């Protein structure tokens, strides 16, 4: 696809800093690579460019695209492996690690310092006798959040005291002990890598002189995801003469819980003096209908630039948006599974389809029904149904009753009260048949579930117990049940096969598919009741909508975990006025007066929905990958 005029202008920026606001599908990677190409063309050495991305996948994509560009413009034969030699392309952490390994003493580190992972952090805490209830949260995640925001152990303790929360207080105490142990053992975690690299660059030592004498141009992808410590690192990296060129979309800022904020995009010109702002507003990904609805939704946010995204193409046959309600979560999951089963039976490429959800608990329903109908899937950003604590305890208990040595019945019960009771249950009923153990085991898991679970997780706990109990009863054979559980626990989840992609909305950012199912779109789920930041929740929904190229199917349940639910307010906020004619839109719900009318009063904010045009078939080159519209309703 040829580069657009707007992309050219942004890539060709001269003199000073720049922020390129690039909405979903507007070609930010193309623009980023073009920026590198033009810098090189104008004599900037490759090893003077410092490019950072937020994931290794993004770094690999940028590296591959830049390699192809450089090979294509080279005269004569060129070594593909050598063309990027000396290039600094990677995540913040990988690039900061290079600085620290080269000049550790400038950061106050010994030469034999050790970089540790999240798992290493967990083991350090365990070694100090610090443990916590995983159902309440994760000390490692909370400590990392504090460190990323620049909060000291004292700051963390003050926060815990203000909250009056036992878990947060425990994490704050653990933070202080962890920091003392880490410093004593010369260990550096991921959060430290940023702050210590900043220390090197502001020390005035050999590391700072080397860095500022070498790097002149800084390219940052996904700038909206930066946090306070990363901003401080960039300011230190620029020095007096460095130039920053960043790509961002404040509408896709999703990580305020770990310190990122639209603030840094909205105040870019103040933080980096004199910066120029560019806009990429043509989306090559989504249908006009999806762009229109997503734009209407996000326009309600106040913390954003006043910009409008436009479709770069016309609508094509078969494109539609469907909002669909169900009586309960089981009905929703069964419908999604059956739609995908039809695609499988028709030989469709499932890799062009994704199922997205706000929380991992939503996915357990979907996973079970996909397994039931034989639809393969790859799971990202959420745990497997079979690894849920309540399901794992159920399976371990059944295995212990019959003495199945394939399962860890010694340490598999863990250290929770529920685990202790399950162990006692299994020992007491060892050797008993299925009819004796099934329902009593489920009652034990319900009675001794963790008492501090939030309403969503508590409901999901019993729903999962009920589901695994039903699997055992349906098979009516303990060995067959354990064989199935063992297979699911050990089967590979490789993305290479023909599988549908299951992912949290956070993990789906930056990806795209022809068909997207966005499930669990209910108030208290999306927006989530634990996040008080409504604008961030709206951005999360916006990201989910704009992952779809052609077909977007958003569903919700009127009952989930035995509690009444309402459709997400974001559905009403995104419905277009009557005049929208780009593509098809339909909203069906079991509690609506008709299949064509949402259960809300029509107004300027919630206009009357358009009816389906009822196309019969949609095929694209390369085989069927989309769903005939009438099969969705």
């Amino acid at each position: 696809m040829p580069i657009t005029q707007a992309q050219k202008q942004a890539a060709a920026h001269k003199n000073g800093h720049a922020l390129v606001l690039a909405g979903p599908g507007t070609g930010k990677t193309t623009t980023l690579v073009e920026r590198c190409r033009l810098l090189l063309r104008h004599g900037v050495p490759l090893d003077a460019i410092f490019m950072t991305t937020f994931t290794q996948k993004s770094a690999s994509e940028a590296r591959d695209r830049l390699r192809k560009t450089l090979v294509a413009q080279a005269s004569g034969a060129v070594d593909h492996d050598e063309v990027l030699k000396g290039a600094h392309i990677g995540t913040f952490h990988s690039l900061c690690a290079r600085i620290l390994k080269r000049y550790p003493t400038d950061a106050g580190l010994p030469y034999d310092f050790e970089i540790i992972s999240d798992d290493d952090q967990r083991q350090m805490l365990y070694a100090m006798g610090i443990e916590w209830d995983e159902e309440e949260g994760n000390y490692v995640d909370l400590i990392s959040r504090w460190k990323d925001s620049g909060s000291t152990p004292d700051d963390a303790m003050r926060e815990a005291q203000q909250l009056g929360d036992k878990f947060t207080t425990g994490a704050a105490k653990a933070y202080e002990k962890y920091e003392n142990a880490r410093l004593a053992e010369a260990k550096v975690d991921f959060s430290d890598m940023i702050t210590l690299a900043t220390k090197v660059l502001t020390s005035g030592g050999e590391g700072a002189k080397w860095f500022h004498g070498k790097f002149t141009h800084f390219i940052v992808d996904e700038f909206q995801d930066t946090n306070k410590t990363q901003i401080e690192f960039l300011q230190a990296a620029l020095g007096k003469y460095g130039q920053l060129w960043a790509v961002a979309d404040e509408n896709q800022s999703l990580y305020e819980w770990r310190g990122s904020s639209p603030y840094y995009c909205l105040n870019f010109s103040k933080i980096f003096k004199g910066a120029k702002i560019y806009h990429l507003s043509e989306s090559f990904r989504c249908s006009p209908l999806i762009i229109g609805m997503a734009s209407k939704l996000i326009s309600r946010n106040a913390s954003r630039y006043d910009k409008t995204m436009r479709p770069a193409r016309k609508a094509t046959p078969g494109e539609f948006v469907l909002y669909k309600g169900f009586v309960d979560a089981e009905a929703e999951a069964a419908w999604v599974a059956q739609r995908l089963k039809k695609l499988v039976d028709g030989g469709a490429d499932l890799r062009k389809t994704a199922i997205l959800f706000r929380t991992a608990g939503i996915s357990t329903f979907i996973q079970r029904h996909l397994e039931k109908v034989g639809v393969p899937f790859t799971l990202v950003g959420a745990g497997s149904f079979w690894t849920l604590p309540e399901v794992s305890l159920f399976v371990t208990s059944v295995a212990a009753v019959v003495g199945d040595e394939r399962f860890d019945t010694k340490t598999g019960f863990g250290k929770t009260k529920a685990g202790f009771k399950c162990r006692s249950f299994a020992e007491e009923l060892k050797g008993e048949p299925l009819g004796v153990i099934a329902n009593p085991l489920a009652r034990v898991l319900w009675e001794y579930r963790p008492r501090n679970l939030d309403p969503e997780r508590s409901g999901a706990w019993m729903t999962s117990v009920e589901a695994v109990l039903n699997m055992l009863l349906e098979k009516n054979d303990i060995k067959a049940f354990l064989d199935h559980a063992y297979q699911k626990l050990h089967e590979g989840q490789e993305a290479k096969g023909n599988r549908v992609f299951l992912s949290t909305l956070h993990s789906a950012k930056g990806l795209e598919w022809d068909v997207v199912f966005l499930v669990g779109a209910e108030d208290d789920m999306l927006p989530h009741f634990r996040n008080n930041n409504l604008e961030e929740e709206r951005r999360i929904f916006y990201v989910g909508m704009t992952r779809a190229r052609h077909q977007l199917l958003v569903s919700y349940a009127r009952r989930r975990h035995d509690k009444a639910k309402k459709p997400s307010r974001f559905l009403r906020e995104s419905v277009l006025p009557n005049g929208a004619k780009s593509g098809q839109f339909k909203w069906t719900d079991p509690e609506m007066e008709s299949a064509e009318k949402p259960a809300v009063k029509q107004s300027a904010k919630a206009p009357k929905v358009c009816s389906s045009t009822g196309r019969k078939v949609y095929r694209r080159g390369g085989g069927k990958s989309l769903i005939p519209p009438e099969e969705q309703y």
Side-chain angles (χ1 to χ4, degrees), residues 565-599:
K565 297 290 181 180
K566 295 180 179 179
S568 170
R569 69 195 70 183
F570 299 150
L571 301 182
R572 296 185 292 275
E573 290 178 0
S574 60
V575 175
L576 292 171
N578 286 342
K581 297 180 180 179
S582 52
Q584 308 172 54
F585 172 68
K586 191 168 186 176
W587 190 339
T588 67
D589 186 293
E591 296 191 14
M592 288 181 182
E593 294 178 4
S594 73
E596 300 286 338
K597 183 179 179 183

Tab-separated table of all heavy atoms in Angstrom, residues 565-599:
chain	number	residue	atom	x	y	z
A	565	LYS	N	-28.020	-8.627	35.026
A	565	LYS	CA	-27.065	-7.706	34.403
A	565	LYS	C	-27.787	-6.808	33.402
A	565	LYS	O	-28.854	-7.150	32.875
A	565	LYS	CB	-25.967	-8.492	33.680
A	565	LYS	CG	-25.107	-9.362	34.593
A	565	LYS	CD	-24.222	-8.530	35.484
A	565	LYS	CE	-23.344	-9.388	36.376
A	565	LYS	NZ	-22.482	-8.571	37.260
A	566	LYS	N	-27.159	-5.660	33.132
A	566	LYS	CA	-27.666	-4.729	32.130
A	566	LYS	C	-26.649	-4.605	31.007
A	566	LYS	O	-25.445	-4.737	31.245
A	566	LYS	CB	-27.908	-3.353	32.753
A	566	LYS	CG	-28.992	-3.324	33.816
A	566	LYS	CD	-29.143	-1.908	34.368
A	566	LYS	CE	-30.236	-1.847	35.427
A	566	LYS	NZ	-30.370	-0.489	35.991
A	567	PRO	N	-27.115	-4.328	29.787
A	567	PRO	CA	-26.162	-4.105	28.690
A	567	PRO	C	-25.234	-2.950	29.023
A	567	PRO	O	-25.636	-1.979	29.667
A	567	PRO	CB	-27.057	-3.768	27.489
A	567	PRO	CG	-28.400	-4.285	27.845
A	567	PRO	CD	-28.509	-4.209	29.333
A	568	SER	N	-24.008	-3.035	28.588
A	568	SER	CA	-23.043	-1.970	28.823
A	568	SER	C	-23.548	-0.646	28.272
A	568	SER	O	-24.116	-0.577	27.181
A	568	SER	CB	-21.706	-2.308	28.158
A	568	SER	OG	-20.840	-1.198	28.178
A	569	ARG	N	-23.340	0.407	29.040
A	569	ARG	CA	-23.722	1.751	28.578
A	569	ARG	C	-22.985	2.120	27.291
A	569	ARG	O	-23.430	2.958	26.526
A	569	ARG	CB	-23.401	2.768	29.662
A	569	ARG	CG	-21.924	3.002	29.911
A	569	ARG	CD	-21.650	3.710	31.204
A	569	ARG	NE	-21.935	2.852	32.344
A	569	ARG	CZ	-21.833	3.241	33.608
A	569	ARG	NH1	-21.491	4.482	33.888
A	569	ARG	NH2	-22.107	2.403	34.584
A	570	PHE	N	-21.837	1.461	27.049
A	570	PHE	CA	-21.050	1.777	25.853
A	570	PHE	C	-21.768	1.362	24.570
A	570	PHE	O	-21.498	1.908	23.498
A	570	PHE	CB	-19.682	1.112	25.918
A	570	PHE	CG	-18.838	1.560	27.091
A	570	PHE	CD1	-17.918	0.700	27.667
A	570	PHE	CD2	-18.974	2.829	27.610
A	570	PHE	CE1	-17.145	1.106	28.741
A	570	PHE	CE2	-18.208	3.256	28.690
A	570	PHE	CZ	-17.291	2.378	29.262
A	571	LEU	N	-22.675	0.395	24.667
A	571	LEU	CA	-23.450	0.005	23.480
A	571	LEU	C	-24.333	1.163	23.038
A	571	LEU	O	-24.359	1.534	21.862
A	571	LEU	CB	-24.299	-1.231	23.790
A	571	LEU	CG	-23.549	-2.494	24.241
A	571	LEU	CD1	-24.537	-3.636	24.463
A	571	LEU	CD2	-22.506	-2.903	23.216
A	572	ARG	N	-25.060	1.732	23.989
A	572	ARG	CA	-25.944	2.852	23.640
A	572	ARG	C	-25.146	4.062	23.170
A	572	ARG	O	-25.570	4.789	22.273
A	572	ARG	CB	-26.807	3.218	24.854
A	572	ARG	CG	-27.756	2.118	25.275
A	572	ARG	CD	-28.685	2.561	26.397
A	572	ARG	NE	-27.980	2.784	27.655
A	572	ARG	CZ	-27.700	1.815	28.529
A	572	ARG	NH1	-28.061	0.568	28.258
A	572	ARG	NH2	-27.076	2.101	29.663
A	573	GLU	N	-23.987	4.264	23.787
A	573	GLU	CA	-23.176	5.425	23.435
A	573	GLU	C	-22.603	5.340	22.022
A	573	GLU	O	-22.241	6.363	21.441
A	573	GLU	CB	-22.021	5.570	24.435
A	573	GLU	CG	-22.464	5.990	25.826
A	573	GLU	CD	-21.310	6.074	26.806
A	573	GLU	OE1	-20.151	5.808	26.398
A	573	GLU	OE2	-21.557	6.395	27.979
A	574	SER	N	-22.509	4.148	21.465
A	574	SER	CA	-21.879	3.983	20.158
A	574	SER	C	-22.862	3.860	19.001
A	574	SER	O	-22.454	3.838	17.840
A	574	SER	CB	-20.974	2.739	20.169
A	574	SER	OG	-21.733	1.578	20.457
A	575	VAL	N	-24.164	3.753	19.303
A	575	VAL	CA	-25.154	3.608	18.228
A	575	VAL	C	-25.223	4.897	17.422
A	575	VAL	O	-25.340	5.990	17.979
A	575	VAL	CB	-26.537	3.260	18.807
A	575	VAL	CG1	-27.591	3.240	17.697
A	575	VAL	CG2	-26.489	1.919	19.513
A	576	LEU	N	-25.159	4.774	16.105
A	576	LEU	CA	-25.180	5.937	15.211
A	576	LEU	C	-26.600	6.440	14.963
A	576	LEU	O	-27.557	5.676	15.083
A	576	LEU	CB	-24.521	5.580	13.882
A	576	LEU	CG	-23.011	5.318	13.932
A	576	LEU	CD1	-22.543	4.756	12.605
A	576	LEU	CD2	-22.255	6.594	14.260
A	577	PRO	N	-26.742	7.702	14.583
A	577	PRO	CA	-28.069	8.239	14.263
A	577	PRO	C	-28.706	7.510	13.077
A	577	PRO	O	-28.049	6.745	12.371
A	577	PRO	CB	-27.772	9.706	13.922
A	577	PRO	CG	-26.475	10.006	14.596
A	577	PRO	CD	-25.694	8.728	14.543
A	578	ASN	N	-29.964	7.790	12.839
A	578	ASN	CA	-30.719	7.095	11.790
A	578	ASN	C	-30.095	7.191	10.408
A	578	ASN	O	-30.253	6.298	9.580
A	578	ASN	CB	-32.149	7.655	11.709
A	578	ASN	CG	-33.001	7.183	12.878
A	578	ASN	OD1	-32.658	6.218	13.543
A	578	ASN	ND2	-34.104	7.872	13.116
A	579	GLY	N	-29.392	8.256	10.151
A	579	GLY	CA	-28.882	8.474	8.802
A	579	GLY	C	-27.710	7.599	8.419
A	579	GLY	O	-27.280	7.623	7.265
A	580	ALA	N	-27.147	6.812	9.353
A	580	ALA	CA	-25.971	5.997	9.032
A	580	ALA	C	-26.332	4.916	8.022
A	580	ALA	O	-27.248	4.140	8.234
A	580	ALA	CB	-25.421	5.353	10.305
A	581	LYS	N	-25.619	4.885	6.912
A	581	LYS	CA	-25.934	3.921	5.858
A	581	LYS	C	-24.729	3.065	5.484
A	581	LYS	O	-24.804	2.273	4.562
A	581	LYS	CB	-26.451	4.653	4.620
A	581	LYS	CG	-27.759	5.405	4.860
A	581	LYS	CD	-28.212	6.118	3.599
A	581	LYS	CE	-29.518	6.856	3.845
A	581	LYS	NZ	-29.981	7.590	2.642
A	582	SER	N	-23.610	3.241	6.200
A	582	SER	CA	-22.403	2.509	5.817
A	582	SER	C	-22.409	1.122	6.451
A	582	SER	O	-22.076	0.944	7.607
A	582	SER	CB	-21.158	3.275	6.283
A	582	SER	OG	-21.271	3.585	7.654
A	583	GLY	N	-22.878	0.148	5.712
A	583	GLY	CA	-22.879	-1.222	6.194
A	583	GLY	C	-24.179	-1.575	6.884
A	583	GLY	O	-25.207	-0.935	6.694
A	584	GLN	N	-24.138	-2.618	7.707
A	584	GLN	CA	-25.329	-3.097	8.391
A	584	GLN	C	-25.127	-3.022	9.894
A	584	GLN	O	-24.041	-3.232	10.395
A	584	GLN	CB	-25.582	-4.558	8.035
A	584	GLN	CG	-25.611	-4.861	6.561
A	584	GLN	CD	-25.671	-6.358	6.363
A	584	GLN	OE1	-26.535	-7.029	6.906
A	584	GLN	NE2	-24.744	-6.888	5.609
A	585	PHE	N	-26.221	-2.743	10.613
A	585	PHE	CA	-26.183	-2.770	12.065
A	585	PHE	C	-27.500	-3.336	12.572
A	585	PHE	O	-28.569	-3.015	12.045
A	585	PHE	CB	-25.971	-1.372	12.644
A	585	PHE	CG	-26.109	-1.326	14.144
A	585	PHE	CD1	-25.180	-1.957	14.946
A	585	PHE	CD2	-27.187	-0.692	14.735
A	585	PHE	CE1	-25.309	-1.942	16.315
A	585	PHE	CE2	-27.319	-0.675	16.110
A	585	PHE	CZ	-26.378	-1.299	16.909
A	586	LYS	N	-27.406	-4.191	13.597
A	586	LYS	CA	-28.615	-4.733	14.200
A	586	LYS	C	-28.374	-4.976	15.680
A	586	LYS	O	-27.272	-5.325	16.084
A	586	LYS	CB	-29.031	-6.032	13.509
A	586	LYS	CG	-30.431	-6.512	13.908
A	586	LYS	CD	-30.896	-7.622	12.988
A	586	LYS	CE	-32.345	-8.009	13.297
A	586	LYS	NZ	-32.853	-9.022	12.363
A	587	TRP	N	-29.435	-4.781	16.478
A	587	TRP	CA	-29.368	-5.020	17.922
A	587	TRP	C	-30.540	-5.916	18.296
A	587	TRP	O	-31.694	-5.552	18.108
A	587	TRP	CB	-29.451	-3.693	18.668
A	587	TRP	CG	-29.155	-3.783	20.149
A	587	TRP	CD1	-29.223	-4.891	20.935
A	587	TRP	CD2	-28.761	-2.708	21.000
A	587	TRP	NE1	-28.890	-4.583	22.230
A	587	TRP	CE2	-28.602	-3.251	22.298
A	587	TRP	CE3	-28.536	-1.349	20.803
A	587	TRP	CZ2	-28.220	-2.470	23.391
A	587	TRP	CZ3	-28.157	-0.563	21.881
A	587	TRP	CH2	-27.999	-1.122	23.162
A	588	THR	N	-30.254	-7.111	18.785
A	588	THR	CA	-31.306	-8.020	19.228
A	588	THR	C	-31.115	-8.340	20.694
A	588	THR	O	-29.991	-8.387	21.189
A	588	THR	CB	-31.291	-9.330	18.418
A	588	THR	OG1	-30.094	-10.059	18.717
A	588	THR	CG2	-31.362	-9.059	16.928
A	589	ASP	N	-32.249	-8.566	21.378
A	589	ASP	CA	-32.193	-8.798	22.821
A	589	ASP	C	-33.461	-9.528	23.252
A	589	ASP	O	-34.553	-9.174	22.782
A	589	ASP	CB	-32.075	-7.459	23.547
A	589	ASP	CG	-31.854	-7.623	25.045
A	589	ASP	OD1	-32.770	-8.110	25.728
A	589	ASP	OD2	-30.765	-7.274	25.522
A	590	PRO	N	-33.355	-10.512	24.150
A	590	PRO	CA	-34.548	-11.249	24.573
A	590	PRO	C	-35.547	-10.391	25.329
A	590	PRO	O	-36.717	-10.745	25.420
A	590	PRO	CB	-33.971	-12.338	25.491
A	590	PRO	CG	-32.652	-11.815	25.943
A	590	PRO	CD	-32.130	-11.037	24.779
A	591	GLU	N	-35.144	-9.265	25.877
A	591	GLU	CA	-36.041	-8.417	26.648
A	591	GLU	C	-36.490	-7.181	25.880
A	591	GLU	O	-37.132	-6.304	26.433
A	591	GLU	CB	-35.362	-8.003	27.958
A	591	GLU	CG	-35.085	-9.186	28.865
A	591	GLU	CD	-34.657	-8.760	30.252
A	591	GLU	OE1	-34.837	-7.568	30.579
A	591	GLU	OE2	-34.160	-9.607	30.994
A	592	MET	N	-36.121	-7.094	24.591
A	592	MET	CA	-36.573	-5.951	23.799
A	592	MET	C	-38.004	-6.171	23.319
A	592	MET	O	-38.481	-7.299	23.203
A	592	MET	CB	-35.658	-5.750	22.590
A	592	MET	CG	-34.291	-5.211	22.954
A	592	MET	SD	-33.306	-4.993	21.468
A	592	MET	CE	-31.792	-4.423	22.202
A	593	GLU	N	-38.679	-5.092	23.015
A	593	GLU	CA	-40.046	-5.187	22.512
A	593	GLU	C	-40.069	-5.860	21.143
A	593	GLU	O	-41.037	-6.516	20.783
A	593	GLU	CB	-40.657	-3.787	22.407
A	593	GLU	CG	-40.840	-3.117	23.760
A	593	GLU	CD	-41.395	-1.719	23.639
A	593	GLU	OE1	-41.708	-1.304	22.501
A	593	GLU	OE2	-41.528	-1.053	24.663
A	594	SER	N	-38.982	-5.678	20.368
A	594	SER	CA	-38.849	-6.351	19.083
A	594	SER	C	-37.375	-6.555	18.822
A	594	SER	O	-36.529	-6.008	19.503
A	594	SER	CB	-39.470	-5.517	17.950
A	594	SER	OG	-38.642	-4.405	17.680
A	595	ALA	N	-37.076	-7.372	17.830
A	595	ALA	CA	-35.673	-7.665	17.523
A	595	ALA	C	-34.950	-6.485	16.920
A	595	ALA	O	-33.746	-6.491	16.796
A	595	ALA	CB	-35.594	-8.849	16.550
A	596	GLU	N	-35.718	-5.443	16.540
A	596	GLU	CA	-35.097	-4.304	15.884
A	596	GLU	C	-34.897	-3.103	16.810
A	596	GLU	O	-34.325	-2.111	16.405
A	596	GLU	CB	-35.967	-3.842	14.699
A	596	GLU	CG	-36.159	-4.907	13.640
A	596	GLU	CD	-34.923	-5.102	12.810
A	596	GLU	OE1	-34.098	-4.188	12.750
A	596	GLU	OE2	-34.774	-6.170	12.227
A	597	LYS	N	-35.368	-3.193	18.068
A	597	LYS	CA	-35.409	-1.996	18.899
A	597	LYS	C	-34.717	-2.215	20.236
A	597	LYS	O	-35.109	-3.083	21.005
A	597	LYS	CB	-36.866	-1.604	19.133
A	597	LYS	CG	-37.044	-0.314	19.941
A	597	LYS	CD	-38.523	-0.013	20.095
A	597	LYS	CE	-38.747	1.251	20.903
A	597	LYS	NZ	-40.180	1.504	21.118
A	598	PRO	N	-33.679	-1.431	20.568
A	598	PRO	CA	-33.037	-1.553	21.876
A	598	PRO	C	-34.012	-1.203	22.998
A	598	PRO	O	-34.931	-0.417	22.812
A	598	PRO	CB	-31.895	-0.524	21.815
A	598	PRO	CG	-31.706	-0.238	20.363
A	598	PRO	CD	-33.048	-0.412	19.732
A	599	ALA	N	-33.798	-1.791	24.160
A	599	ALA	CA	-34.670	-1.553	25.311
A	599	ALA	C	-34.313	-0.244	25.995
A	599	ALA	O	-34.067	-0.186	27.183
A	599	ALA	CB	-34.581	-2.715	26.288
